[in-house]
């Protein structure tokens, strides 16, 4: 078990803050599969200060998700501090996380996200200002560097620690790599050896065995799982169990996948209303069906769904067809 500040996590498996995905409906579903910590998708500091309606909705937290880390991003100290204070005083988040990893140009050209990685002094300055302004523990999610010529992961993590940050999550890719190529786990080990605060490793953890290997090879305190959990909260459950007992639990059946997909849809409708939820759920439904034989046709059909009824009946029909084929071949 490890702690972030005074927040005790019940295991070492953390859901990554994925933009456009990690809303309350998804987080709660993953939480129920045993994640020690779930992270909310990043929110703009300025949008918080402008009280943008969509942004205010993004700050919604279901108490069953906790402990939860809420992530903010921004390029200017004043607005970042004010947004952190708002989160500190007006949400039940347990941890405030600062994004220093987002590689997307519209974020980096505002001097936010991965742009920070070029300047350890700015990191110290910004993190220290936020830490001074809030009561909740402050953490940082970052990449190992901007590009191969500018890898300051160790200096940047030390700056976070010096500034009073309580943990660092490190994605072993540069900003230039985006999500391509391989994640460098050696740099996670170097950072872990250079600081005394918890380090959470991130990048290329696709199976429970990967998670164990990352923890063993890097000495990291926790492992952060992102894309491997899309449509697959079982990845979280299987990883937690594997790390605790060494036992590899079987992959879910098609019926189990469909049932959780429907539960996820129900939660998304409660959160955003049917029209938006069904549209957002199309990509999730495709992720839930990934790897199931014969899914191409139903995935195409899902992309045209407009109502809950259409989506659920497509999923149900597909599950029944797969089960029927399995019975015939048994």
């Amino acid at each position: 078990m490890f702690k972030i500040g005074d927040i005790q996590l019940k295991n070492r498996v953390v859901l990554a803050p994925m933009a456009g995905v990690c809303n309350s409906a998804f987080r709660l579903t993953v939480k129920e599969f045993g994640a020690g910590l779930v992270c909310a998708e990043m929110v703009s500091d300025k949008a918080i200060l402008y009280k943008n309606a969509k942004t205010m909705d993004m700050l919604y937290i279901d108490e069953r998700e906790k402990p939860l880390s809420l992530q903010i991003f921004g390029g200017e100290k004043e607005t970042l501090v004010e947004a952190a204070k708002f989160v500190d005083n007006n949400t039940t988040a347990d941890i405030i996380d600062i994004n220093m990893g987002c590689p997307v140009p519209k974020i980096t050209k505002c001097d936010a996200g991965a742009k920070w990685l070029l300047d350890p002094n700015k990191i110290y300055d910004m993190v220290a200002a936020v830490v001074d302004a809030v009561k909740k523990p402050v953490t940082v999610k970052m990449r190992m560097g901007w590009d191969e010529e500018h890898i300051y992961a160790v200096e940047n993590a030390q700056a976070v620690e010096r500034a009073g940050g309580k943990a660092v999550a490190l994605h072993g890719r540069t900003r230039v790599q985006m999500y391509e190529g391989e994640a460098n786990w050696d740099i996670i080990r170097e950072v872990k050896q250079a600081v005394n605060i918890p380090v959470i490793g991130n990048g290329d953890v696709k199976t429970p065995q990967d998670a164990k290997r990352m923890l063993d090879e890097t000495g990291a305190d926790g492992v952060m799982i992102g894309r491997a959990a899309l449509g697959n909260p079982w990845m979280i459950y299987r990883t937690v169990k594997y790390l605790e007992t060494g036992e590899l639990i079987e992959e879910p059946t098609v019926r189990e996948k469909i049932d959780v997909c429907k539960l996820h849809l129900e939660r998304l409708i409660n959160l955003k209303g049917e029209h938006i939820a069904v549209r957002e759920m199309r990509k999730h439904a495709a992720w839930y069906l990934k790897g199931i034989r014969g899914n191409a046709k139903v995935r195409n059909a899902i992309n045209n769904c407009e109502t809950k009824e259409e989506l659920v009946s497509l999923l149900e029909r597909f599950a029944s067809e797969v089960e029927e084929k399995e019975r015939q071949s048994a």
Side-chain angles (χ1 to χ4, degrees):
M1 299 322 110
F2 74 103
K3 284 173 96 162
I4 293 178
D6 53 0
I7 307 299
Q8 179 80 50
L9 308 188
K10 70 171 193 284
N11 61 54
R12 306 164 72 182
V13 180
V14 179
L15 173 70
M18 291 175 282
V21 172
C22 285
N23 53 46
S24 178
F26 178 72
R27 297 189 309 253
L28 179 57
T29 305
V30 170
K31 183 68 175 193
E32 289 174 342
F33 278 83
L37 177 69
V38 294
C39 302
E41 57 188 320
M42 62 178 187
V43 185
S44 150
D45 58 352
K46 290 193 167 69
I48 291 175
L49 300 182
Y50 293 141
K51 304 280 196 297
N52 172 294
K54 198 171 154 206
T55 301
M56 292 294 114
D57 289 343
M58 286 168 79
L59 300 180
Y60 171 76
I61 297 166
D62 183 312
E63 289 304 295
R64 294 171 293 176
E65 299 174 51
K66 290 159 63 68
L68 173 129
S69 166
L70 204 152
Q71 189 181 72
I72 57 176
F73 72 91
E76 295 161 25
K77 185 158 65 175
E78 293 68 29
T79 47
L80 195 72
V81 166
E82 286 308 310
K85 284 187 348 202
F86 183 89
V87 170
D88 197 38
N89 296 323
N90 299 282
T91 77
T92 59
D94 300 280
I95 293 163
I96 298 173
D97 188 59
I98 303 173
N99 180 305
M100 296 185 204
C102 183
V104 180
K106 74 171 189 188
I107 305 292
T108 55
K109 69 169 189 278
C110 311
D111 283 339
K115 197 64 188 279
W116 291 38
L117 300 171
L118 291 163
D119 188 353
N121 292 329
K122 175 175 179 171
I123 289 178
Y124 171 78
D125 198 31
M126 299 279 265
V127 175
V130 172
V131 168
D132 283 346
V134 300
K135 296 185 280 298
K136 299 183 195 290
V138 175
T139 59
V140 168
K141 167 103 175 14
M142 63 185 195
R143 287 181 170 239
M144 69 177 185
W146 181 260
D147 56 24
E148 286 303 322
E149 278 70 60
H150 301 88
I151 294 181
Y152 305 141
V154 168
E155 297 89 327
N156 290 343
Q158 287 171 330
V160 170
E161 181 175 37
R162 252 197 345 273
K166 297 296 186 209
V168 170
L170 180 63
H171 183 160
R173 284 186 172 83
T174 61
R175 184 265 162 184
V176 168
Q177 273 181 284
M178 301 291 279
Y179 298 96
E180 303 300 316
E182 277 190 16
N184 177 345
W185 291 1
D186 293 337
I187 198 86
I188 298 172
R189 186 177 65 245
E190 287 171 33
V191 166
K192 175 61 196 160
Q193 288 166 353
V195 297
N196 295 310
I197 53 175
V199 173
I200 300 163
N202 177 220
D204 291 351
V205 176
K206 297 173 185 149
T207 64
Q209 298 95 313
D210 290 341
K212 180 162 176 19
R213 213 176 76 246
M214 176 186 269
L215 292 170
D216 290 346
E217 287 179 13
T218 66
D221 301 273
V223 57
M224 185 173 267
I225 295 173
R227 287 175 290 172
L230 295 173
N232 187 15
W234 294 269
M235 170 62 184
I236 301 286
Y237 177 70
R238 296 175 73 238
T239 301
V240 170
K241 283 282 171 258
Y242 186 68
L243 294 178
E244 284 173 357
T245 66
E247 181 195 357
L248 253 188
I249 303 220
E250 286 201 0
E251 294 274 9
T253 63
V254 171
R255 174 58 60 190
E256 286 171 325
K257 285 186 167 187
I258 300 296
D259 285 347
V260 172
C261 184
K262 281 163 33 187
L263 172 67
H264 185 169
L265 169 63
E266 201 61 58
R267 287 179 170 157
L268 206 49
I269 289 171
N270 292 339
L271 194 66
K272 302 194 171 193
E274 182 172 0
H275 181 68
I276 294 173
V278 169
R279 291 183 156 225
E280 271 193 26
M281 199 64 201
R282 291 170 182 173
K283 63 183 178 191
H284 286 281
W287 288 325
Y288 278 100
L289 298 177
K290 205 171 151 194
I292 302 174
R293 275 178 62 183
N295 71 23
K297 214 163 75 190
V298 70
R299 280 167 70 169
N300 288 337
I302 283 167
N303 281 333
N304 298 315
C305 282
E306 295 288 347
T307 66
K308 173 188 170 180
E309 199 179 346
E310 283 177 279
L311 183 49
V312 168
S313 70
L314 266 176
L315 291 169
E316 282 293 343
R317 202 161 59 240
F318 179 64
S320 302
E321 282 168 16
V322 173
E323 286 171 335
E324 184 53 39
K325 279 183 198 146
E326 284 169 355
R327 267 198 298 277
Q328 286 169 358
S329 62

